[in-house]
Amino acid sequence: MPPLSSPPAIPVPSLDRADPQKAIAVIRYGPGYTFALAPRNSQGRFQKIALQPGQTITVLVNLSPADIGRPANLQILDGGAVGGIEVPEAGFPDIPGMPAWPDIPIEEIIGPVIDPNTVIDTGQTLPVSPTGQLAFGFRVGADVGLHRVSIIVGGNQYFFQFWRQDPSALNNNPGMLRAY
């Protein structure tokens, strides 16, 4: 009897390895107002963004092709509320090359600002779209100070840091990008 042999290996296309430092995020905070962010370190921690009390913003994150279809676990760490936004089948347009203050209506890029009534104050699990994008709304919590959102996808973690401004004590607000 001839020895058993293994079937020939079938080549499997490999996706790029996910790298939190290569993720790009776009923050939309009003009609026509947006800016792009990149993580500030290898742990996927984005820079702090200043928000006004009760403000709701839209966040779009471009992740790795390796994350396509994976569940993204959004966790609210310090108060606030999140809500998922459906990513169109074709995805959003290529955002990394977008200027910080586009002349085109931002609704054509990432749609309208999320309705504040659709966010919930518990975490949420959302699928990463077929284009590798994840979109969610965030409403800052009532407490002054840091409000973080953690996103865990395929073993990688990304941190968004939002600072709820204190309008009654302007000296208590550190300098940072302002989404208002």
Side-chain angles (χ1 to χ4, degrees), residues 96-152:
M98 180 183 73
W101 303 101
D103 293 331
I104 60 173
I106 195 63
E107 288 80 3
E108 293 178 18
I109 297 174
I110 63 171
V113 172
I114 190 167
D115 179 354
N117 298 317
T118 64
V119 295
I120 55 176
D121 61 2
T122 60
Q124 197 169 12
T125 300
L126 304 171
V128 176
S129 76
T131 60
Q133 296 172 322
L134 180 69
F136 65 95
F138 176 75
R139 183 178 59 226
V140 69
D143 294 334
V144 171
L146 188 62
H147 293 79
R148 296 170 297 159
V149 174
S150 167
I151 301 173
I152 300 173

Side-chain angles (χ1 to χ4, degrees), residues 7-27:
I10 299 172
V12 177
S14 64
L15 296 173
D16 293 332
R17 184 178 179 279
D19 182 352
Q21 198 164 2
K22 293 182 180 176
I24 302 272
V26 174
I27 306 292

